[in-house]
Structure formats: structure tokens, C-alpha cells
């Protein structure tokens, strides 16, 4: 039925707007770019199941995201959902794929470590990147500054 489909789309768009609004309202002013570390705050979601999923996902990322072998399969297993359900829920709650969410989580964590004086290589390995060169490339692509330059500021 087209009316049901239309309402589902409207609900999802509304939920995504609410998540982004909650995150931006509670964001830290010293994050220099317009994207936010979506795990730095817990937004108040209208759907209780989505709220619970977000909290469980955040806890899972905090405990395991920096393991080099952490992936979609392991995360889904830890959250007791199938990989497909994990992808769907992430799109609804965070507006991004698992790969994007994991990469951003690791990058913001590395950014924090670099600002505390950690070396680029140590930050890369400690945040789950298996290659410091790849880490530097991804960091520059996301923050428009190399990790070395960021660390020296």
C-alpha cells in the first residue's frame, strides 16, 4: 500500500532528523568540522527500541571497536542481531553504514588520542587501524589535516 510506504518513509526521515538534531545540540564546540562524533552523546530517540539499540551499539563500540578484527559480523553477534538487521538499524538510528560508523568512531578516538600527545603510529594501532599509512590517508580525508599536523597543534 502506497500510503503505508509513504508514512514509513516520513517516519524514518523524521527519526534521522531527530537523531542529528539531538547530536548537534549536545555536541562539543571544539570539534572543528561539521560532522560530529555521534557516540559522544546519547540522543533522546522517540522509539524506545531504537534508543536501547543505540545505547547497546555505543557500549559495543566502546569495548570492541579498537580491536583490529572487530567487524560487522562480530558486532552483530555481540548485539544478538543478524548482520542485515544491524545494517538496517544503523541506517535508521545513525544514518550511516556499519563501515562508516566504525571508521568515524576510530577516527574520533584517534583524534582524541593525538590531542593528548599520542604518536600517530600508536594512535593508528590503538584505534584498530592495521596500517598507519592508511590511517593517515583516511584521517586527512576526513579532517582536512594530516594526523602529524593535528598532533603538533
Amino acid at each position: 500500500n502506497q500510503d503505508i510506504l509513504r508514512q514509513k518513509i516520513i517516519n524514518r526521515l523524521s527519526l534521522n532528523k531527530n537523531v542529528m538534531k539531538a547530536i548537534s545540540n549536545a555536541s562539543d564546540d571544539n570539534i572543528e568540522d561539521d560532522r560530529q562524533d555521534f557516540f559522544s552523546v546519547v540522543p533522546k530517540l522517540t522509539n524506545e527500541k531504537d534508543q536501547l539499540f543505540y545505547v547497546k551499539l555505543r557500549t559495543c563500540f566502546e569495548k570492541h571497536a579498537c580491536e583490529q578484527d572487530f567487524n560487522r559480523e562480530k558486532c552483530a553477534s555481540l548485539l544478538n542481531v543478524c548482520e542485515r538487521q544491524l545494517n538496517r538499524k544503523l541506517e535508521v538510528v545513525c544514518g550511516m553504514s556499519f563501515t562508516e560508523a566504525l571508521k568515524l568512531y576510530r577516527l574520533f578516538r584517534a583524534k582524541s588520542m593525538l590531542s593528548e600527545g599520542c604518536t600517530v603510529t600508536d594512535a593508528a594501532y590503538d584505534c584498530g587501524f592495521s596500517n598507519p599509512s592508511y590511517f593517515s590517508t583516511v584521517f586527512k580525508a576526513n579532517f582536512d589535516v594530516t594526523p602529524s599536523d593535528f598532533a603538533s597543534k
Side-chain angles (χ1 to χ4, degrees), residues 7-17 88 92:
Q7 189 58 46
K8 283 183 179 183
I9 292 170
I10 290 169
N11 289 345
R12 283 201 179 186
L13 291 173
S14 175
L15 178 64
N16 285 348
K17 285 179 187 176
R88 282 191 210 119
V92 169

Side-chain angles (χ1 to χ4, degrees), residues 22-98:
I23 289 171
S24 65
N25 287 342
S27 69
D28 219 356
D29 287 335
N30 43 354
I31 294 176
E32 289 121 19
D33 56 59
D34 58 348
R35 287 178 332 247
Q36 306 298 320
D37 177 3
F38 59 95
F39 285 122
S40 65
V41 296
V42 179
K44 182 68 177 154
L45 302 173
T46 55
N47 184 320
E48 191 175 316
K49 287 181 179 180
D50 288 340
Q51 183 76 37
L52 183 60
F53 174 81
Y54 186 90
V55 171
K56 285 181 178 181
L57 178 70
R58 179 180 174 178
T59 303
C60 183
F61 267 49
E62 287 170 351
K63 290 180 181 177
H64 303 285
C66 292
E67 300 168 6
Q68 287 185 4
D69 66 340
F70 185 70
N71 58 23
R72 180 185 347 262
E73 180 183 354
K74 186 173 182 178
C75 184
S77 174
L78 290 167
L79 295 174
N80 296 318
V81 297
C82 68
E83 290 180 50
R84 187 172 172 144
Q85 183 67 11
L86 174 62
N87 286 337
R88 282 191 210 119
K89 290 297 256 182
L90 262 168
E91 279 294 330
V92 169
V93 174
C94 300
M96 61 184 75
S97 70
F98 176 83

Side-chain angles (χ1 to χ4, degrees), residues 122-137:
D122 288 343
Y125 286 128
D126 290 350
C127 290
F129 290 93
S130 58
N131 183 330
S133 176
Y134 172 71
F135 164 71
S136 294
T137 302

